[in-house]
Amino acid sequence: MFFCGNIYFTLLPGTNRNKTSAEIYDATNTVEGISAIENKINEIDSGEYVFLKAINMDTSRLKPLIEFMKSKNLKVTVISQTVAE
């Protein structure tokens, strides 16, 4: 299977409120690639919840990341969204 393009991640702590679009898409909070987000995930305490929102992508690309998070005893939920361009 061929994939084009890079995956970008933003890790936003706290689930007690909805995040603004500015927070979600702020490039200063964004990392590129699975290995970069794994470094940030290593800072999350075991047992915490992590929600992955995949926009316009094949979520099978996230399988290695999901397995990594589960190995860290994180509770993972994947939300898939298709947005018309």
Side-chain angles (χ1 to χ4, degrees):
M1 184 176 277
F2 175 75
F3 300 109
C4 60
N6 298 327
I7 302 175
Y8 294 88
F9 297 93
T10 303
L11 186 61
L12 301 172
T15 58
N16 58 343
R17 67 176 177 79
N18 289 332
K19 305 300 186 264
T20 66
S21 292
E23 288 174 293
I24 294 168
Y25 297 106
D26 181 355
T28 60
N29 295 323
T30 302
V31 297
E32 181 181 351
I34 289 180
S35 61
I37 196 63
E38 284 177 347
N39 290 332
K40 293 212 173 257
I41 288 168
N42 278 327
E43 299 172 10
I44 301 173
D45 293 331
S46 177
E48 292 289 330
Y49 291 85
V50 176
F51 295 86
L52 287 174
K53 185 172 184 180
I55 300 173
N56 292 346
M57 71 174 290
D58 177 1
T59 56
S60 68
R61 294 179 70 187
L62 299 174
K63 188 173 181 173
L65 178 61
I66 293 166
E67 293 304 317
F68 173 78
M69 289 189 286
K70 287 181 178 180
S71 77
K72 299 288 187 181
N73 196 32
L74 298 172
K75 297 173 175 86
V76 182
T77 300
V78 178
I79 302 162
S80 183
Q81 179 181 8
T82 302
V83 177
E85 294 182 22

